[in-house]
């Protein structure tokens, strides 16, 4: 059977076997990283938070953020209603001014 040799095979001595497979993530200790008061650990290709207290803080902040977003949406709605009311008042004012006789406008 005619088989092509790889470049790396030509430099390997026939008496030596292939090097063992090295899995860096499987054999290494997890990486620990401290950011401020939080401690993170890199394990199984994921960053995990080791602080149980900060999980509660994150949940609290997410709930507060959701409440603020709801309040912001309500305020935007109220601002739109007020702008509509102001526009309607302006249209009513212009309509009333145009319906007044010219003599009353000159007296002012």
């Amino acid at each position: 059977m005619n088989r092509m040799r790889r470049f790396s095979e030509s430099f390997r001595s026939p008496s030596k076997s292939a090097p063992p497979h090295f899995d860096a993530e499987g054999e290494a200790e997890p990486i620990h990283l401290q950011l401020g008061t939080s401690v993170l650990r890199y394990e199984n290709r994921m960053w995990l938070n080791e602080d149980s207290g900060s999980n509660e803080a994150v949940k609290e902040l997410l709930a507060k953020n959701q409440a603020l977003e709801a309040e912001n949406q309500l305020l935007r709605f109220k601002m739109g209603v007020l702008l509509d009311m102001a526009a309607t008042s302006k249209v009513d004012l212009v309509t009333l001014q145009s319906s007044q006789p010219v003599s009353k406008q000159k007296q002012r």
Side-chain angles (χ1 to χ4, degrees):
M1 178 183 278
N2 190 0
R3 157 183 120 109
M4 304 249 333
R5 289 179 58 173
R6 290 186 295 174
F7 182 72
S8 61
E9 289 177 354
S10 63
F11 292 108
R12 191 178 310 150
S13 127
S15 63
K16 291 185 180 179
S17 62
H21 177 69
F22 176 70
D23 182 19
E25 288 189 15
E27 296 176 14
E29 292 290 321
I31 298 171
H32 294 274
L33 176 67
Q34 183 170 356
L35 297 172
T37 59
S38 298
V39 178
L40 303 171
R41 181 183 70 223
Y42 186 75
E43 193 171 11
N44 297 328
R45 299 179 186 219
M46 290 177 46
W47 284 101
L48 304 171
N49 193 356
E50 291 186 347
D51 296 337
S52 61
S54 73
N55 286 339
E56 295 299 321
V58 168
K59 287 179 184 177
E60 183 180 323
L61 287 173
L62 287 173
K64 186 174 182 178
N65 187 35
Q66 187 176 10
L68 289 172
E69 285 177 356
E71 181 182 2
N72 188 22
Q73 185 178 5
L74 178 64
L75 291 173
R76 286 180 188 269
F77 174 75
K78 287 181 177 182
M79 180 64 82
V81 170
L82 288 173
L83 285 173
D84 288 346
M85 290 171 63
T88 304
S89 296
K90 179 66 175 178
V91 168
D92 289 344
L93 178 65
V94 169
T95 305
L96 284 173
Q97 286 178 345
S98 66
S99 66
Q100 287 181 349
V102 177
S103 62
K104 285 187 179 181
Q105 288 181 351
K106 287 182 181 180
Q107 290 176 357
R108 287 185 180 182

